[in-house]
Amino acid sequence: MHRIHLAELRDASAAWAGVSIAFVAVNAALAMTLTILYSGSVRLAAGELPLMAATAYTIVQGLNALVIRFVAVPIVAGATSLVVDSRRGALARLALSGATPAQVRGTVTSQLVAVSLVSAVVGDAVGLALVAPMLRLVDYSARAEPLHVSIDPLYSLLPLIAGSLLCVLVAVIGGGKQARLASEIPPVEALRQSLAPTRSGRLTTGGWIRLVLLALLVAGLFASVPLQVAHRYKETVSNLLILGFFQIVIWGALLAVVAPWVIQPLTSAWTRWVPSRAPVWLLARATVAARVERLYKSVVPVMFTIGIAVASVGLGASMVDTLAASMADVRLEGSSWESLVMMFGAPLSIALAGGVGALTMMGSQRSADLALAGVVGATPAQRTLIPLLEAVIITGSAALLSLGMVVPAYAFQAWSLTAAGLTYRLNVPVVVGAVAVAICLVVTIAATVLPTLRSQRSPEPRVIMRLVAA
């Protein structure tokens, strides 16, 4: 069985390479954040760092790790399940050759662990290289604070092992579900389904549990506001501001859970309003509608990217305007770029890497779809425009869905700060939103179109057979 595991890992290496960028980004973010947290905690315990100066190295880094976790779990789980789902044909052939369901699951689990560990090595190296620059950024951000103390990093295997184990766990859980479902299907049926569109019409038990827990978390945060205001303390406003920023990633995680339900009807609704009757637009719409699994797993990372960028900047600007309007002795210039990078740089990089990886990994399936279009008469120019328009649809749906992150975060901030007696000032970063959508569109077009260009130089039957043989 060991040889079979190695052979399957070798055959699936191209698919895993496509999504490994997300694994590397998550490991790098966790390695950097947890190493800084470890350095600050050790120096604080040794008395080398005053308690008042330790916040940037301890509490802030702990919050960063929590934010990374909310973004990383759906990104890594989605990327993992995409690869496993693309290997349904190979898993079916294993079962047809006599492998038991347990052996099929073991094959997939071994791949998940191997890829996660390799990505962890690369990601940890990148994360460690970023520790010193991030500490310098912390120093630059706190240059006007008289109590700030600079520290040198302390490197240890403990934070690296903790971050790597978390990524392995997320990958095994996310991909293990798909492997279990694939192993329970009769082999011939699984082989047939590997070539058919996969439709996610219901949540699994784990999905329902995550949905309920996230909903309870949101309800608990809203319910905590009257209690905090009624029993005011020194950090009431600061804590309410922090909870407002947390709303961004919590709502993003919640939307990622319900994405299979909402993205297809949302996409169908807004694309129906586009007046074009051009064949390439109709083909792009039809392709997106047929590939539901591909659609929502492409939209979710882009949604996170746009939502985090817009909401973080907007909440920061609104916070500054509100404090300036409510407190005469407060004169703030605005949310600095360094503070945004420190708090949301890692989640943004994970979301962007997850989007690129997912779109790139699905290149072979998209190439086969375009080859089928070529068989029925689509020209090379049309076969290039179809994935480009698919990228437009993905970005448009992601931008609309990101409102589910931005609007609740604004609502929580407005309600909580008003309840605390402040005069709320709304600041919507329209320019930032337009730039974020434009960047995501360019990246999505590149990741969608470029992988299909090479296949257009091959005969259509050969391209289709590559997918069948996968």
Side-chain angles (χ1 to χ4, degrees):
M1 202 63 192
H2 177 67
R3 292 182 177 178
I4 294 177
H5 288 178
L6 290 178
E8 283 297 313
L9 179 60
R10 183 175 59 253
D11 291 341
S13 59
W16 285 114
V19 300
S20 61
I21 184 175
F23 288 77
V24 171
V26 173
N27 277 284
L30 286 174
M32 177 189 69
T33 302
L34 295 180
T35 297
I36 296 175
L37 174 61
Y38 175 81
S39 301
S41 300
V42 170
R43 295 193 183 282
L44 176 63
E48 301 175 12
L49 186 65
L51 180 62
M52 296 299 294
T55 301
Y57 307 111
T58 54
I59 297 176
V60 171
Q61 301 306 320
L63 295 176
N64 285 347
L66 189 58
V67 171
I68 291 170
R69 179 262 174 216
F70 276 105
V71 178
V73 168
I75 298 295
V76 171
T80 303
S81 62
L82 269 175
V83 176
V84 176
D85 196 50
S86 72
R87 300 289 297 168
R88 289 171 71 89
L91 298 178
R93 287 190 290 274
L94 269 180
L96 284 171
S97 63
T100 65
Q103 289 173 327
V104 172
R105 292 193 297 271
T107 300
V108 175
T109 302
S110 66
Q111 293 180 29
L112 292 170
V113 174
V115 173
S116 299
L117 291 178
V118 171
S119 300
V121 173
V122 179
D124 288 346
V126 174
L128 290 178
L130 293 174
V131 170
M134 182 58 71
L135 287 176
R136 302 292 77 79
L137 188 63
V138 172
D139 292 340
Y140 182 78
S141 176
R143 59 192 180 278
E145 297 180 12
L147 297 179
H148 176 71
V149 176
S150 300
I151 66 170
D152 293 322
L154 292 175
Y155 298 104
S156 171
L157 288 177
L158 291 179
L160 303 183
I161 293 174
S164 300
L165 288 178
L166 176 60
C167 290
V168 172
L169 181 63
V170 171
V172 170
I173 293 175
K177 179 185 70 174
Q178 298 294 324
R180 176 180 57 80
L181 294 175
S183 66
E184 293 173 353
I185 299 175
V188 175
E189 180 69 8
L191 187 61
R192 182 189 68 80
Q193 289 186 14
S194 70
L195 307 177
T198 305
R199 296 189 176 273
S200 300
R202 62 184 180 85
L203 286 178
T204 62
T205 302
W208 277 110
I209 292 174
R210 289 194 299 274
L211 180 61
V212 171
L213 290 177
L214 288 168
L216 289 175
L217 178 58
V218 169
L221 292 180
F222 272 87
S224 72
V225 173
L227 297 176
Q228 294 187 66
V229 172
H231 304 84
R232 293 182 71 98
Y233 48 98
K234 181 180 178 182
E235 302 297 332
T236 295
V237 174
S238 298
N239 288 339
L240 291 178
L241 289 170
I242 292 173
L243 294 182
F245 280 101
F246 264 112
Q247 292 287 326
I248 304 171
V249 292
I250 294 173
W251 279 94
L254 195 151
L255 288 172
V257 175
V258 301
W261 285 351
V262 302
I263 288 181
Q264 185 184 22
L266 174 67
T267 303
S268 298
W270 80 262
T271 55
R272 195 177 298 118
W273 287 94
V274 177
S276 175
R277 304 299 297 175
V280 288
W281 172 252
L282 296 179
L283 278 172
R285 281 186 56 193
T287 301
V288 166
R291 299 293 187 180
V292 179
E293 191 89 356
R294 189 168 82 188
L295 173 64
Y296 87 79
K297 289 181 180 177
S298 301
V299 167
V300 167
V302 183
M303 173 203 72
F304 267 110
T305 305
I306 297 174
I308 291 174
V310 175
S312 61
V313 174
L315 292 187
S318 298
M319 172 192 71
V320 170
D321 292 348
T322 298
L323 294 178
S326 306
M327 303 178 183
D329 57 339
V330 174
R331 291 293 183 269
L332 301 177
E333 297 180 357
S335 297
S336 60
W337 65 269
E338 59 268 18
S339 63
L340 294 175
V341 170
M342 287 188 297
M343 189 67 182
F344 292 101
L348 270 174
S349 65
I350 293 171
L352 193 59
V356 172
L359 291 168
T360 303
M361 181 264 154
M362 291 180 285
S364 60
Q365 186 186 74
R366 189 173 288 108
S367 295
D369 291 341
L370 295 175
L372 288 173
V375 169
V376 298
T379 66
Q382 289 174 325
R383 290 165 61 184
T384 301
L385 281 174
I386 290 172
L388 188 150
L389 291 174
E390 184 179 345
V392 172
I393 293 174
I394 289 171
T395 307
S397 296
L400 292 174
L401 196 64
S402 68
L403 294 176
M405 300 171 61
V406 176
V407 174
Y410 267 115
F412 181 89
Q413 188 186 61
W415 179 59
S416 61
L417 296 185
T418 302
L422 303 182
T423 303
Y424 188 69
R425 291 289 184 265
L426 178 68
N427 190 319
V428 180
V430 178
V431 175
V432 172
V435 171
V437 172
I439 292 175
C440 287
L441 178 59
V442 171
V443 172
T444 304
I445 288 175
T448 303
V449 176
L450 294 181
T452 66
L453 295 180
R454 183 179 179 182
S455 65
Q456 293 191 33
R457 296 194 294 267
S458 302
E460 287 84 356
R462 182 181 299 175
V463 176
I464 297 171
M465 287 307 300
R466 286 178 192 156
L467 180 65
V468 174

